[in-house]
Amino acid sequence: MIFTSVKFLVFITAVVSIYFIFPKKYRWIWLLASSYFFYLSASVKYGIFLVFSTVVTYTAALLIEKVSESIDVSLLPKEQKKQARQILDKRKKIITAIAIVINFGVLFALKYYNFTVENISAIADTFGLKFSPALLNVLLPVGISFYTFQVIGYIIDVYRGINKAERNFFKYALFVSYFPQIMQGPIGRFSELSKTLYTGHAFDYERFTFALQRMLLGFFEKLVIADRLAIAVDTVWPDYQSYGKFEILLIGVFYAIQIYADFAGYMDIALGASQIMGIRLSENFKAPYFSASIPEFWRRWHITLGSWFRDYLFYPVMRSGWCTALGKKLKGIIGKKASSKATTVIALLCVWFFTGMWHGANWTYIMWGVYYGVLIILSTLFAPLFDSFVQKHSINRDNPVYKSLQILKTFILVCIGYIFFRSDTLSQAFGIIGRILNFSTPLTSPAGIGIDRADIIAAAVFVLLLIIIDIFRAYDIDIREIIAKKNIVLRWAIYFIMLFAVIIFGIYGPGYTSSSFIYFQF
Amino acid sequence: MDRAEIFERLNNVFRDVFDDDSITVSDNTTASDIDGWDSLMHITLISAVEDEFDMKFDMKSVVAMKNVGDMADIIEKEA
């Protein structure tokens, strides 16, 4: 059930209406039933994996807590305390590790097994060896990359003592399956989501209108902007050899806007739908294209994935015994500062390799991830050099011109990254880069880009609107509060214009079938 | 060790790590108050504080500490 389908509109209307009729205490049960209906309507088979993941992590979390409570450390004499803590920690670590291995194991088998086997057999082939094991023929359950990360985050948080294990199995099942976030995130944290997920919230008119506005904005971003630009992107990208430099560069920018409007649009619908019922999901975007640097971009783009990798991979790697030991070893050879940089570089490459891979079993995604890893490593290594340059030439970092140039630089780097992200194969990505750089490529080409002049002008106007909305978002100003203060005529005029813009300018095509969101495939 | 002493020593660590002698931290100082305090610097800072006070932060503290006040609380308890 895709958010932009009529089915979903019927579904959400029914869910919300019945939610507020249900006794407050049991509203979460209704949400659980609705969430499973939502998920299973995609395919009943997928449900098996979801239930399995839920059962494994629910049980593991309880076991971790049971181990913690098996010895009361505070009663022990001081000298035994440390030893007891170590024993307990070791046991908890084993349970956590088993739960992680099982969950990642399922994800690996379904998403990466074929890719790994194909690559190994290709390598074997170059050495003249025959290696051709059977490939798996299963479809990837939707949302598995998202909910697997969510449950692993939960288990690690229980292990770290950040939150307690949920004792009610069905409440925990709701945390894993909650319908606005199961397909594409945001990847939730139990400590945050549980604050609002289980309480029966009273109906609040202002919250209701704010939530609807947010959903409407999401539909606008997806149907009017993303799906319109998608037509041009899908026309030019696979056939890039027929186009000139100008069209290719334009399509690169189109794709950057498309993927943002697509993903952020989804988030606005998800967070809006959840907000109607008073349940707060984590924000996933904060005007990312206004970032002045790549590290900043990643603090504003797909925020819940970035913070997941930070808390559950980057920090543990950096704090791990072997990383500290390596740092100490290198310290004697290359000095303190350089050794700390060296270990950071290793951890970053690891994080960005997996960030790329998370998006899919394809070298294009891995290349895209490593590309960011390298950019961030370079920006870390050269930061002191750059700082002294800025100081020497007394450049004012708050100067709007300087800031704008930084934003432009970041946007261009992000667009280069998308060449790998959007291409089907690495050779296509390098083909596109080659065509842009090649002197003999014509500047323009007579081939059409799939949308006509009127559509391009419409897109430009709508994108401008999106930029204005994002300026407000960048400064943490809620446009809805401003609209709410306007008089009733103006307020409703704005709603109707938005609604009609979605109805009239949305891309529906003949016999409209809702087009899938980009992040569905991950 | 009293809190004033902890903060005095923390100031020195912060000034050294962020290479900025004008830094003075307080209970309410957060990452957004200090230029360059991102996830990379956070780990460097944590290690420097550990060296200074001869103690260790567990992962919960590394991830969950919200401000320098939280950090000082843990130091007070552990060091």
Side-chain angles (χ1 to χ4, degrees):
Chain A
M1 203 187 309
I2 288 164
F3 278 3
T4 48
S5 65
V6 176
K7 246 199 222 160
F8 178 74
L9 291 181
V10 174
F11 170 79
I12 188 73
T13 311
V15 170
V16 168
S17 314
I18 298 174
Y19 179 84
F20 288 113
I21 299 169
F22 248 64
K24 276 188 182 165
K25 209 176 152 191
Y26 303 111
R27 282 183 185 165
W28 66 269
I29 298 174
W30 169 244
L31 285 182
L32 177 64
S34 311
S35 296
Y36 263 82
F37 174 80
F38 178 82
Y39 191 75
L40 296 182
S41 72
S43 160
V44 177
K45 266 190 293 184
Y46 296 161
I48 300 166
F49 297 103
L50 181 67
V51 172
F52 178 75
S53 226
T54 309
V55 171
V56 168
T57 43
Y58 168 79
T59 317
L62 287 183
L63 284 176
I64 291 170
E65 247 176 42
K66 212 171 166 191
V67 167
S68 302
E69 289 155 6
S70 61
I71 305 172
D72 193 345
V73 179
S74 63
L75 295 178
L76 296 173
K78 207 176 172 191
E79 57 276 13
Q80 286 177 22
K81 264 186 188 167
K82 200 177 165 192
Q83 204 189 0
R85 276 209 189 102
Q86 276 172 346
I87 294 171
L88 289 184
D89 193 59
K90 202 173 171 189
R91 287 182 193 158
K92 288 195 307 190
K93 226 180 217 163
I94 291 171
I95 302 167
T96 311
I98 292 172
I100 292 175
V101 168
I102 293 174
N103 279 281
F104 272 147
V106 173
L107 183 65
F108 177 84
L110 297 176
K111 195 168 173 179
Y112 303 102
Y113 171 77
N114 288 358
F115 174 73
T116 312
V117 165
E118 279 164 4
N119 275 288
I120 293 174
S121 61
I123 293 168
D125 220 34
T126 55
F127 290 104
L129 301 165
K130 268 267 157 281
F131 176 75
S132 47
L135 294 179
L136 280 179
N137 186 20
V138 279
L139 273 178
L140 193 63
V142 280
I144 190 169
S145 310
F146 291 92
Y147 74 69
T148 302
F149 268 45
Q150 179 156 317
V151 295
I152 286 174
Y154 167 77
I155 274 294
I156 297 176
D157 281 354
V158 171
Y159 163 74
R160 286 176 179 170
I162 288 174
N163 55 257
K164 291 220 151 269
E166 173 57 58
R167 279 164 202 282
N168 185 324
F169 174 75
F170 297 101
K171 278 191 173 176
Y172 179 66
L174 173 61
F175 164 71
V176 185
S177 65
Y178 184 45
F179 74 87
Q181 65 171 31
I182 181 130
M183 300 285 189
Q184 273 186 222
I187 301 166
R189 304 281 177 106
F190 190 78
S191 51
E192 285 302 314
L193 191 54
S194 59
K195 282 181 198 160
T196 54
L197 187 60
Y198 306 119
T199 330
H201 302 272
F203 182 79
D204 180 311
Y205 179 71
E206 191 186 59
R207 194 182 66 213
F208 176 68
T209 55
F210 274 31
L212 283 191
Q213 287 168 40
R214 187 156 192 185
M215 288 179 78
L216 192 58
L217 177 64
F219 286 117
F220 175 78
E221 287 165 317
K222 167 67 176 162
L223 292 169
V224 179
I225 298 180
D227 288 354
R228 175 168 274 104
L229 296 176
I231 301 171
V233 173
D234 294 344
T235 307
V236 175
W237 210 285
D239 195 24
Y240 69 92
Q241 277 149 328
S242 317
Y243 292 90
K245 286 182 186 197
F246 173 74
E247 286 93 4
I248 296 177
L249 292 176
L250 184 72
I251 287 303
V253 175
F254 274 15
Y255 185 66
I257 301 167
Q258 181 207 337
I259 191 169
Y260 174 54
D262 189 285
F263 198 9
Y266 182 95
M267 286 306 143
D268 283 328
I269 300 171
L271 272 77
S274 189
Q275 193 185 13
I276 299 178
M277 298 169 288
I279 296 162
R280 200 197 300 256
L281 296 178
S282 306
E283 292 291 338
N284 232 355
F285 292 96
K286 196 187 169 198
Y289 292 152
F290 286 124
S291 307
S293 70
I294 290 295
E296 189 189 343
F297 171 75
W298 273 99
R299 285 195 294 275
R300 289 159 163 256
W301 172 273
H302 206 175
I303 298 168
T304 56
L305 182 72
S307 61
W308 194 99
F309 273 108
R310 180 196 65 208
D311 290 351
Y312 304 119
L313 186 62
F314 180 68
Y315 284 166
V317 169
M318 286 298 285
R319 307 269 304 159
S320 63
W322 63 266
C323 202
T324 325
L326 181 73
K328 272 193 187 133
K329 226 179 214 170
L330 289 172
K331 203 162 141 185
I333 309 166
I334 52 175
K336 192 180 171 190
K337 280 230 155 114
S339 81
S340 119
K341 293 229 152 133
T343 48
T344 309
V345 166
I346 295 168
L348 281 174
L349 279 178
C350 181
V351 164
W352 287 98
F353 176 86
F354 286 112
T355 304
M357 198 160 163
W358 177 88
H359 288 80
N362 191 330
W363 285 106
T364 50
Y365 294 124
I366 294 172
M367 186 70 192
W368 171 80
V370 171
Y371 166 79
Y372 276 110
V374 170
L375 285 183
I376 288 172
I377 288 164
L378 289 179
S379 78
T380 323
L381 295 183
F382 288 105
L385 211 69
F386 185 70
D387 286 344
S388 67
F389 176 84
V390 167
Q391 231 162 23
K392 207 171 161 190
H393 294 81
S394 41
I395 297 169
N396 179 7
R397 282 177 194 256
D398 294 324
N399 182 321
V401 178
Y402 175 83
K403 256 195 162 158
S404 308
L405 286 174
Q406 292 292 318
I407 290 171
L408 183 68
K409 172 208 77 182
T410 308
F411 183 69
I412 292 169
L413 287 173
V414 169
C415 287
I416 295 171
Y418 286 140
I419 297 178
F420 295 103
F421 192 86
R422 172 63 176 77
S423 292
D424 298 326
T425 58
L426 275 185
S427 68
Q428 188 185 41
F430 286 118
I432 290 173
I433 294 170
R435 190 146 176 92
I436 297 168
L437 297 178
N438 195 335
F439 285 112
S440 61
T441 308
L443 217 55
T444 59
S445 115
I449 60 168
I451 53 176
D452 59 18
R453 189 178 286 262
D455 258 329
I456 295 175
I457 294 170
V461 172
F462 297 134
V463 169
L464 194 69
L465 194 66
L466 186 61
I467 292 173
I468 295 169
I469 292 169
D470 262 16
I471 292 175
F472 282 102
R473 282 171 166 170
Y475 286 101
D476 280 322
I477 303 167
D478 195 336
I479 283 191
R480 296 172 297 182
E481 276 169 18
I482 299 173
I483 296 174
K485 284 186 192 126
K486 301 285 172 209
N487 69 52
I488 189 160
V489 180
L490 189 66
R491 215 163 59 215
W492 280 93
I494 293 172
Y495 300 158
F496 275 111
I497 290 170
M498 280 293 277
L499 186 63
F500 282 115
V502 172
I503 295 170
I504 297 166
F505 295 107
I507 299 293
Y508 302 102
Y512 174 65
T513 47
S514 35
S515 73
S516 175
F517 287 83
I518 295 175
Y519 269 69
F520 254 54
Q521 56 184 314
F522 308 139
Chain B
M1 202 181 337
D2 64 359
R3 247 180 129 74
E5 193 197 332
I6 292 177
F7 272 93
E8 204 183 306
R9 286 167 70 180
L10 276 179
N11 274 331
N12 289 332
V13 175
F14 272 77
R15 285 169 192 165
D16 185 41
V17 168
F18 294 102
D19 208 9
D20 180 354
D21 287 338
S22 66
I23 295 177
T24 307
V25 292
S26 70
D27 272 315
N28 299 322
T29 308
T30 65
S32 55
D33 298 321
I34 291 175
D35 226 19
W37 188 352
D38 55 16
S39 51
L40 303 188
M41 286 310 273
H42 187 57
I43 291 294
T44 313
L45 175 72
I46 291 285
S47 315
V49 174
E50 285 177 341
D51 288 347
E52 171 70 28
F53 292 94
D54 192 25
M55 44 91 62
K56 249 192 149 30
F57 290 102
D58 59 10
M59 276 311 291
K60 180 187 175 182
S61 322
V62 173
V63 174
M65 61 172 81
K66 297 255 177 301
N67 50 35
V68 179
D70 284 355
M71 188 185 258
D73 290 344
I74 301 161
I75 297 169
E76 216 171 359
K77 221 170 77 189
E78 298 282 326

